[in-house]
Amino acid sequence: RSSFQAGALKGAGVPLVKLIMVDVSDDELVRRAVGRRIDPVTHQLYHLEGLGFDAPPEDEEVRERLTQRKDDTEERVRLRLAQYHDTNANVSDKFN
């Protein structure tokens, strides 16, 4: 998951059996994160476009109470992605 964890596994002699790399653009990750909503009453997760979670129900009462996590704004998501790229680039290189 991270360069630090990859280095620790290699240092501990844990062999890499499989490495799965998922290539997703930052724009798509932002789109998915920014569209998430939660119902504070039922704790049900929704996505405004139905990506990964159900789309919000038609019930206006439910739709009005949906909230967005404070760290799911575009600015915060892009900051987290930049930090991720800075600290976790080339994780697979740790096993070569």
Side-chain angles (χ1 to χ4, degrees), residues 1 5 25 37 44-45 51 53 58-59 64 70 95-96:
R1 191 176 139 156
Q5 290 170 334
S25 72
R37 297 294 185 274
Q44 176 71 37
L45 294 172
L51 299 174
F53 300 102
E58 296 298 322
D59 184 334
E64 288 176 6
K70 291 178 182 171
F95 293 99
N96 292 334

Side-chain angles (χ1 to χ4, degrees), residues 1-77:
R1 191 176 139 156
S2 73
S3 294
F4 175 77
Q5 290 170 334
L9 288 170
K10 185 175 182 180
V14 175
L16 177 66
V17 176
K18 292 183 182 178
L19 177 66
I20 298 172
M21 303 290 288
V22 179
D23 187 19
V24 181
S25 72
D26 284 0
D27 288 338
E28 181 62 19
L29 293 171
V30 168
R31 179 175 163 227
R32 289 176 175 271
V34 170
R36 290 188 294 210
R37 297 294 185 274
I38 188 166
D39 181 341
V41 174
T42 65
H43 304 286
Q44 176 71 37
L45 294 172
Y46 298 100
H47 190 280
L48 297 178
E49 299 177 49
L51 299 174
F53 300 102
D54 291 337
E58 296 298 322
D59 184 334
E60 276 304 311
E61 182 180 335
V62 172
R63 293 176 81 85
E64 288 176 6
R65 70 180 183 232
L66 296 180
T67 60
Q68 182 181 35
R69 288 178 21 182
K70 291 178 182 171
D71 62 343
D72 275 353
T73 64
E74 182 169 351
E75 179 182 354
R76 297 292 296 265
V77 172

